[in-house]
Amino acid sequence: MYPKTLQLASMQLPYFRTPEFSEIMIENEKMFKASIKAKKNSKTVFLTASGSGAMEATVINCFDKTDKILVINGGSFGKRFVDICKIHKLPYDELKLKFGEELTKEHLEKYNGHLYSGLFVNLHETSTGQLYDIRIISEFCRKNNIYLVVDAISAYLSDEIDFDWDGIDALIVSSQKALALSPGLSVVEISERLYQNKVLGIETASLYFDFKEHIRNMERGQTPFTPAVGVLLELKERLTEIEENGVEVIRNEIREWAVKFRDELRKEGFQIPNYAMSNALTPVLLEPNAKEMYEQLKDKYDIIVTPSGGALEKVLIRVGHLGNVKWEDYEMLLNAMKHIRENL
Ligand SMILES: *Cc1c(COP(=O)(O)O)cnc(C)c1O
């Protein structure tokens, strides 16, 4: 996290049913829209929930049992969308990708003309590091008249996103990834057509997550229930900084860490996947020692990288490029990884 965020996080929180706080919310909305290039009349929902809460809320506010959903499932976050469909009994099909398999036009072409009403995708499938090509997905959705739901939780600020140009109908972002804020806040952007054609007509079986109430309240810069006041103040500071610098500058910095770290890894003989990757993180292939590498980094060097779960537990670790990281951090990590490798 950045020093300015940490400083804000140590402060007293204000009461929020005030015109002053409403103004902060309206500013947040304006700056958030600018950061994803949403220039049309889309709606912004601020939720006090982690990313999965926002994924579930988006699904139940935009779709019901009369819909037919196509889920791109290339890892544990794709599976989360599948689980949400199951729990809420939404008819769905799964486009399942094996580990290492890249999503192509041909995969999608098989699903042409199947009368889907929604497509769910995690733009960056964070469990593997694969970045899907938004252009082929959005072209498929346009051609088939499908509402496009994009979990951009780990792609936001790391990879290119253009809400209007890519024809995105719902975009989900969370506070704890590239924004590097405290967890607990998620933001969902809903296109005008999804709002008018779907959201308004759906009887959401949830009090807390009813987007209609959230959107109505946001007209005056408020939320129906107590929001994550502190995280919203952290967000205001971060978005102001992002607006001043330009989203591209932030993204280039993240990309620079990714490119430089990957070059160094290759030089040192470490393996990384050859599918298209997000700038957010670098997966390092260490089969069968990935778990061991994670544990030794943590216990012997006090360095935390992200371990994998399930079938990938022994296969890869993930090294993040988000937030307040410096090249020294990567040098330290590379040295530790080399030492550990010698004794594996
Ligand atoms: C981190 C992340 C989430 C959210 O997980 P939570 O733990 O619920 O915040 C969802 N989708 C993707 C792609 C993510 O990277």
Side-chain angles (χ1 to χ4, degrees):
M1 292 164 87
Y2 294 91
K4 279 185 186 167
T5 308
L6 292 173
Q7 205 243 333
L8 271 176
S10 74
M11 311 251 286
Q12 192 70 257
L13 298 178
Y15 177 60
F16 65 96
R17 298 281 187 215
T18 62
E20 289 79 7
F21 192 76
S22 294
E23 210 170 293
I24 291 170
M25 291 298 282
I26 300 285
E27 273 294 298
N28 272 342
E29 178 182 27
K30 210 178 84 207
M31 292 189 291
F32 178 73
K33 280 183 200 289
S35 75
I36 55 166
K37 300 191 182 167
K39 296 185 201 80
K40 295 189 191 136
N41 199 19
S42 49
K43 311 286 179 195
T44 312
V45 177
F46 292 93
L47 293 172
T48 304
S50 88
S52 309
M55 289 165 74
E56 185 166 26
T58 303
V59 172
I60 64 172
N61 276 279
C62 303
F63 301 95
D64 62 22
K65 287 171 190 150
T66 65
D67 286 293
K68 195 173 153 197
I69 309 298
L70 181 62
V71 184
I72 297 181
N73 178 3
S76 60
F77 290 102
K79 178 166 181 296
R80 194 157 302 174
F81 268 137
V82 170
D83 291 342
I84 292 169
C85 288
K86 273 187 199 155
I87 286 171
H88 296 283
K89 302 190 167 59
L90 295 184
Y92 72 93
D93 285 324
E94 226 176 311
L95 194 172
K96 225 171 161 177
L97 300 165
K98 291 194 285 287
F99 174 62
E101 186 181 358
E102 253 180 313
L103 179 74
T104 63
K105 253 188 190 158
E106 289 69 44
H107 281 118
L108 288 167
E109 270 162 14
K110 288 186 202 129
Y111 295 88
N112 273 332
H114 281 52
L115 302 178
Y116 293 105
S117 42
L119 182 146
F120 301 170
V121 65
N122 320 87
L123 184 53
H124 166 211
E125 170 53 71
T126 321
S127 65
T128 65
Q130 179 170 174
L131 178 73
Y132 299 126
D133 186 345
I134 186 75
R135 288 165 307 177
I136 63 173
I137 297 168
S138 99
E139 192 190 305
F140 170 79
C141 288
R142 272 205 187 96
K143 203 160 68 187
N144 288 280
N145 199 20
I146 296 172
Y147 293 104
L148 172 56
V149 174
V150 176
D151 163 4
I153 294 172
S154 61
Y156 177 65
L157 301 180
S158 316
D159 305 302
E160 271 178 58
I161 290 170
D162 190 322
F163 187 83
D164 293 341
W165 181 260
D166 294 328
I168 298 170
D169 290 293
L171 182 94
I172 306 161
V173 167
S174 234
S175 55
Q176 80 277 23
K177 300 278 166 79
L179 283 165
L181 309 178
S182 308
L185 175 74
S186 293
V187 191
V188 184
E189 189 74 13
I190 302 283
S191 73
E192 170 81 6
R193 69 172 199 143
L194 183 59
Y195 175 67
Q196 295 291 348
N197 301 346
K198 301 286 290 175
V199 176
L200 282 176
I202 282 177
E203 276 186 49
T204 312
S206 170
L207 174 87
Y208 190 70
F209 285 120
D210 189 343
F211 281 8
K212 292 183 283 301
E213 278 304 308
H214 280 267
I215 289 166
R216 198 174 307 141
N217 274 266
M218 259 315 281
E219 284 168 17
R220 54 184 183 107
Q222 286 287 324
T223 49
F225 310 102
T226 307
V229 174
V231 195
L232 285 160
L233 295 176
E234 294 171 18
L235 180 67
K236 163 107 190 300
E237 188 280 321
R238 263 303 264 156
L239 285 176
T240 305
E241 182 123 348
I242 289 164
E243 188 155 278
E244 280 165 8
N245 288 289
V247 184
E248 296 73 20
V249 172
I250 311 279
R251 191 168 53 234
N252 285 339
E253 193 181 291
I254 296 171
R255 184 193 290 131
E256 199 182 310
W257 295 138
V259 169
K260 214 169 152 182
F261 183 60
R262 288 166 195 175
D263 282 349
E264 256 345 273
L265 281 172
R266 287 191 197 96
K267 257 187 242 163
E268 299 294 346
F270 285 102
Q271 300 288 316
I272 61 176
N274 44 28
Y275 46 75
M277 284 180 280
S278 166
N279 297 313
L281 65 85
T282 297
V284 189
L285 299 169
L286 293 158
E287 195 166 13
N289 297 315
K291 187 165 183 254
E292 192 65 27
M293 177 66 83
Y294 162 75
E295 278 168 359
Q296 290 204 31
L297 282 170
K298 176 171 163 287
D299 298 337
K300 292 195 179 155
Y301 295 87
D302 223 0
I303 299 175
I304 310 285
V305 297
T306 315
S308 300
L312 297 180
E313 191 181 37
K314 293 177 173 178
V315 180
L316 61 92
I317 59 165
R318 294 166 295 154
V319 178
H321 306 302
L322 308 178
N324 189 18
V325 284
K326 304 266 178 304
W327 185 245
E328 298 99 84
D329 300 325
Y330 292 104
E331 285 178 327
M332 185 174 70
L333 172 64
L334 276 161
N335 279 328
M337 284 173 68
K338 283 192 284 181
H339 278 129
I340 295 167
R341 181 174 57 181
E342 280 162 23
N343 301 309
L344 281 176

